[in-house]
Amino acid sequence: MILKKVLTFASLTLLFSAQSPDSERLKDIFADSFYIGVAVNARQVNSSDEKVTSLIANQFNSLSPENGLKWERVHPELDRYDFKFGDEYVALGQKIGAFTIGHCLVWHQQTPRWVFQDQNNEPLGKDALISRMEDHIESVAGRYKGKIHGWDVVNEAFNEDGTFRESNWYKIAGKDFMKAAFRKASEVDPGAELYYNDYNVWRASKRKGILDFAKEMKAEGIRVDAIGMQGHYQLDSPTLEEIEQGIIDIHEAGFKVMITELDVDVLPRPRRAEGADLNMNFANSDEYNPYRDGITPEAEAKLAARYAEIFALYEKHKDKITRVTFWGLGDGVSWLNNFPVRGRTNYPLLFDRNLEPKTEIIDKIASVVK
Ligand code: GLA
């Protein structure tokens, strides 16, 4: 009888710990600091799985659309928009009262080829391309006016050395494509925040290019509210000093700072340049896919330490940072299982493959913050 009671108590404790008590909710830990967001995919946005829905609602107060509002999904053909995901996404955001992000209006990836071509498959001219881009912004940002609270207007337009990326946008329209995009987004939804978003913004040369141009836009009266630092980190790179300098520089240039796509890759990065690696099956490699059957305590401790130091830094600069968004809900759906090579088992987030919280890491983050 007593044993049965103990067992019942134990299983009840387990049940409740899986639902994470208030003290461990990320959005509560950082309630006075910044929004805590999560990128959601098409299955999660309208999921019948109660675990998914309650995890999103309990832990996060901001949402980002992982892929569903990218051009190829929302506007696959010239005369066809597909708003199924977007409508479900904003409905979820409204239901849980989240600060809801749009991602992304203009990017060189996941954008169909037709966008840059006329009906004869010839490259579009500058005016035609800009007007096509403006129509897109009007249709997408216009539909969700007042429901999407901040937009990644332009994503990844700069090279590592701070020059403009030679994307189709830039090749056809020069840097004016960015100015036109921000102008249009501001006109379509004056109430939404507007962001420039990129990876490796911690790199000084890249950041200088971004900030110089953002300031140029501002001086011309074009509204840019924040610079998004994506935050796809590894265990030992970038350094805290590099991240911190990025936060400070963006703030001093007059923009809000957002960490928009946070995750920490725990796997070794194969060097693509090495000829031998090209023929290697990384998924079956003990060296490059070492945690196929579970992460070791040592690696998990490194992940915990990395997350704790990162969040301690963010907390130190909470007057500059308005949002920190994780790029995915749980390890099982992270893009890092398939990047930079396919089919590995990665552990970059704070919820595991069963969407259970990594309580030791979350506790460690919470203790650094308090
Ligand atoms: C970039 C994009 C994101 C996503 C990630 C990889 O960071 O901004 O939308 O595609 O790459 O998943």
Side-chain angles (χ1 to χ4, degrees):
M1 182 67 182
I2 288 181
L3 182 67
K4 193 173 165 209
K5 265 196 181 151
V6 170
L7 276 180
T8 310
F9 180 72
S11 46
L12 270 179
T13 313
L14 251 176
L15 185 74
F16 284 114
S17 67
Q19 293 178 354
S20 53
D22 277 7
S23 61
E24 282 181 0
R25 290 180 181 189
L26 296 169
K27 68 176 180 187
D28 294 337
I29 298 172
F30 295 102
D32 297 326
S33 308
F34 28 70
Y35 287 118
I36 294 287
V38 64
V40 291
N41 66 29
R43 261 167 292 120
Q44 294 158 345
V45 89
N46 190 14
S47 177
S48 51
D49 183 346
E50 180 50 30
K51 196 164 185 175
V52 169
T53 314
S54 63
L55 185 63
I56 295 170
N58 288 338
Q59 296 282 344
F60 302 97
N61 50 20
S62 177
L63 297 181
S64 290
E66 186 177 7
N67 286 300
L69 284 179
K70 290 175 181 171
W71 194 311
E72 67 178 10
R73 299 281 177 100
V74 74
H75 190 180
E77 293 167 51
L78 182 57
D79 295 319
R80 186 165 70 86
Y81 284 87
D82 182 349
F83 291 117
K84 185 176 181 297
F85 172 89
D87 291 357
E88 290 177 350
Y89 170 72
V90 296
L92 176 64
Q94 286 182 317
K95 192 169 129 198
I96 69 170
F99 190 83
T100 303
I101 304 299
H103 171 85
C104 47
L105 292 169
V106 182
W107 191 25
H108 62 287
Q109 281 186 33
Q110 294 181 262
T111 303
R113 200 170 306 153
W114 63 259
V115 172
F116 306 99
Q117 295 172 339
D118 65 15
Q119 59 277 46
N120 303 317
N121 297 337
E122 296 296 329
L124 226 47
K126 175 175 176 176
D127 290 349
L129 179 63
I130 288 189
S131 120
R132 185 168 282 178
M133 181 189 80
E134 289 173 342
D135 286 347
H136 175 83
I137 294 174
E138 184 146 358
S139 303
V140 182
R143 184 180 181 93
Y144 299 120
K145 184 174 177 173
K147 296 177 181 161
I148 282 190
H149 308 115
W151 272 103
D152 287 337
V153 179
V154 176
N155 200 31
E156 302 181 349
F158 285 86
N159 294 317
E160 300 302 283
D161 65 359
T163 56
F164 284 93
R165 181 192 291 279
E166 290 280 327
S167 66
N168 283 331
W169 294 107
Y170 186 74
K171 278 193 267 188
I172 296 174
K175 60 185 185 178
D176 284 351
F177 89 84
M178 284 182 69
K179 296 186 178 178
F182 277 90
R183 262 201 216 100
K184 187 67 185 177
S186 182
E187 177 196 312
V188 169
D189 191 350
E193 289 189 329
L194 306 181
Y195 316 135
Y196 175 78
N197 190 55
D198 214 328
Y199 60 88
N200 294 358
V201 183
W202 52 265
R203 200 187 295 284
S205 51
K206 184 171 196 171
R207 183 170 63 248
K208 183 167 184 331
I210 294 170
L211 289 181
D212 284 351
F213 190 65
K215 285 192 275 189
E216 180 179 322
M217 287 200 280
K218 222 175 167 181
E220 291 176 24
I222 301 170
R223 185 162 65 86
V224 181
D225 296 298
I227 305 296
M229 306 176 81
Q230 290 185 359
H232 297 296
Y233 301 141
Q234 293 174 260
L235 283 173
D236 53 4
S237 160
T239 65
L240 285 185
E241 290 72 22
E242 286 169 321
I243 302 171
E244 180 163 39
Q245 198 56 53
I247 295 169
I248 292 171
D249 286 358
I250 293 169
H251 174 76
E252 285 182 352
F255 305 98
K256 294 181 187 175
V257 182
M258 289 172 191
I259 311 298
T260 54
E261 306 184 13
L262 178 60
D263 45 31
V264 177
D265 186 351
V266 302
L267 299 180
R269 285 261 161 128
R271 262 184 275 148
R272 279 161 184 267
E274 285 170 25
D277 283 348
L278 295 175
N279 299 320
M280 214 172 125
N281 185 341
F282 291 103
N284 291 328
S285 153
D286 287 338
E287 187 183 354
Y288 288 113
N289 193 13
Y291 312 126
R292 276 166 288 179
D293 303 322
I295 190 167
T296 58
E298 295 76 24
E300 173 121 341
K302 280 190 196 153
L303 181 65
R306 181 68 164 151
Y307 264 119
E309 65 176 20
I310 288 169
F311 272 99
L313 179 68
Y314 294 165
E315 183 69 8
K316 179 177 168 195
H317 293 290
K318 64 181 175 189
D319 60 325
K320 307 172 186 70
I321 298 173
T322 57
R323 171 169 61 93
V324 176
T325 292
F326 288 90
W327 204 244
L329 191 58
D331 288 341
V333 294
S334 168
W335 73 298
L336 287 172
N337 294 303
N338 294 303
F339 180 89
V341 286
R342 303 208 140 266
R344 297 194 296 171
T345 307
N346 216 329
Y347 300 81
L349 296 165
L350 297 186
F351 298 89
D352 69 16
R353 283 177 162 66
N354 299 316
L355 296 183
E356 295 296 333
K358 302 182 185 176
T359 40
E360 281 174 26
I361 304 185
I362 296 174
D363 286 350
K364 192 159 181 166
I365 291 173
S367 72
V368 169
V369 165
K370 276 166 199 158

